[in-house]
Amino acid sequence: MAWLLVIVAGLLETGFAVCLKLSHGFTRLWPTIAFAAFALGSFGLLTLALKRLDVGPAYAVWTGIGAAGTAIYGMVFLGDVVSTLKIISITLVICGVIGLQLSGSAQ
């Protein structure tokens, strides 16, 4: 259950990063409100998960999902440049997170 919380928190991190961009420096109301909701949800779920998980692997999974998800969302929906190096780099982030998770404790 704790890992499910980390995964959902990572997806919410993607949401708050995207909303941060869409808020244009907190000058647009609804993206700013969405940013705050996603951020509170993400940090809240991560906090709950860290009661049962080691901080290193949990944080790596959370940030990895957030970083990869944000990069992918940007390329698909926001017109960010798509390149082979970017795709390879996202894949390496995901592989690194999986490797760290597999090397951690079995909680």
Side-chain angles (χ1 to χ4, degrees):
M1 182 64 165
W3 282 111
L4 180 60
L5 294 176
V6 172
I7 291 168
V8 174
L11 295 173
L12 291 174
E13 182 189 2
T14 297
F16 83 67
V18 169
C19 288
L20 187 60
K21 173 163 178 66
L22 298 176
S23 76
H24 291 266
F26 300 126
T27 60
R28 293 185 174 167
L29 179 63
W30 293 113
T32 299
I33 291 170
F35 160 79
F38 282 127
L40 287 171
S42 181
F43 287 115
L45 292 178
L46 181 63
T47 298
L48 292 174
L50 288 176
K51 290 181 179 182
R52 297 187 178 212
L53 299 173
D54 291 339
V55 70
Y59 185 76
V61 170
W62 179 69
T63 58
I65 291 170
T70 303
I72 292 166
Y73 187 94
M75 289 186 288
V76 173
F77 297 107
L78 300 177
D80 290 358
V81 175
V82 179
S83 69
T84 302
L85 183 56
K86 220 179 232 189
I87 300 297
I88 291 169
S89 298
I90 291 168
T91 303
L92 289 172
V93 167
I94 293 168
C95 289
V97 167
I98 291 170
L100 185 55
Q101 165 57 20
L102 292 175
S103 70
S105 63
Q107 291 183 13

